Every structure is written in structure tokens, then in C-alpha cells.
Amino acid sequence: GDSVTQMEGPVTLSEEAFLTINCTYTATGYPSLFWYVQYPGEGLQLLLKATKADDKGSNKGFEATYRKETTSFHLEKGSVQVSDSAVYFCALKNTGFQKLVFGTGTRLLVSP
Amino acid sequence: NAGVTQTPKFRVLKTGQSMTLLCAQDMNHEYMYWYRQDPGMGLRLIHYSVGEGTTAKGEVPDGYNVSRLKKQNFLLGLESAAPSQTSVYFCASSYSQTGGSGELFFGEGSRLTVL
């Protein structure tokens, strides 16, 4: 079945450092890919998405490119802030299916 | 803008007790979902609904029941709570998915502890 694999955390960075959180997927067909973010004490919210190969999703300085050849959707940000501290979930939705499949989440901790 | 509202936010139960979590959405979404979140396991789908009066099993349905009597509400029931059901529960909703993007809108979560 479909699955998503994320790098284990926590990822600990200093403010203004470069961020990469790796995400790879296994799926038949042509899934849509998502990054969701969960701030402390809150529910998940959509950060960005890409619906086809080579699409780049971006929001709030975060970017991720849908790479079909490597089945990856890595999340990047050029300069993280303390306020970016959260748990980040990679997810996919396959064509014709109504459900999202989530990765296990990666906790990001940014220190001043 | 209420979005997706879950009640209660916190609950402590004793083993064998029953309870119901209520999810309400005001976005006229067709699809609703119940997930549980456990450390190191991410989000796992318990049950979902593709419309009023319908329900379906997800990955981890055992020990839970659901009902969708009204389009805006999705109830999750635990008939006889067990310590393994200690978790944070999230409700989510989405538009009809035919050609849709798949974005889910989440509630703030309900933390359940079973002693």
C-alpha cells in the first residue's frame, strides 16, 4: 500500500540556519503530496502542496519540490525562525482515494 | 470562523467506561475523519465518512464506533475504554474529493487518558 517515510527527529537548529526535512513516498499512480505543520497545542494545518511531478509548493518561506524520479518531497527553508518550531508531517493522497496517508512527523526545534 | 470544533478537549476515563467525542464542522464539507496521534506513529485513521449517513473503517477501527447522522457532525464512540486508547484524537474534514486537492482541515484535538 501507499506509505510515507520521514526522517526521524528532533531536528535542532539555530535561528537563521538552513532547514531540510526529508520525505520519500511509495505509491502507485500519481499522488498529490502535502506538508502539514502542527504547532504546540494545535491541530495540523496545511503548509504547502504539490499535485504533479516537478511542481514546487511554497508558503511562509518553506518550499518542497515533487520529484517523481526519486519519489521525494523534501521540505526546505533558507532561514528558520524560533516560531517555526513545530512538528512537520509529510502526506500523500492517491488518485481516486479519499484518504491522506501521513508520515510519522518530524519535530523541529529552533533556538535563538 | 469556527472551522472544525472538537469536544471535549480533555478527558480522563477509567478502563471499561464509555464516552463519545463530538466533532462539528461549519464548512459544509462532505468528508469527515477521525485520526489518533501517538508518539512515533504519526496520525492513523480510525474511521471516516464520505457523506451524511455513511461511515467506513480506516487503519485502526477496533474498539471504536462512529456515526454521521448530520452532515456537520461526526461522533466517535468508545464503548469500553482500554489503556491502549490513551491518545490524542483529531477530527478533520474536507470537500468532496472528485478532482479535489485533498486538503484536510483539522480540529485542535482531544486528549484522552484511560487509567
Side-chain angles (χ1 to χ4, degrees), chain A residues 89-110:
Chain A
F89 291 89
C90 186
L92 71 82
K93 175 186 172 301
N94 215 332
T95 307
F97 291 91
Q98 313 307 335
K99 299 167 286 183
L100 284 183
V101 175
F102 286 89
T104 54
T106 302
R107 182 177 298 277
L108 171 64
L109 300 170
V110 181

Side-chain angles (χ1 to χ4, degrees), chain A residues 34 36 38 43 49 93 98, chain B residues 33 37 90 97 101 104 107:
Chain A
F34 305 81
Y36 278 79
Q38 183 182 27
K49 65 184 181 186
K93 175 186 172 301
Q98 313 307 335
Chain B
Y33 312 81
Q37 183 181 29
F90 285 98
Q97 289 303 295
S101 68
L104 266 60

Side-chain angles (χ1 to χ4, degrees), chain A residues 55-68:
Chain A
D55 268 3
K56 177 185 285 188
S58 61
N59 186 25
K60 299 181 180 180
F62 291 89
E63 294 183 340
T65 301
Y66 188 165
R67 302 286 189 198
K68 189 166 178 62

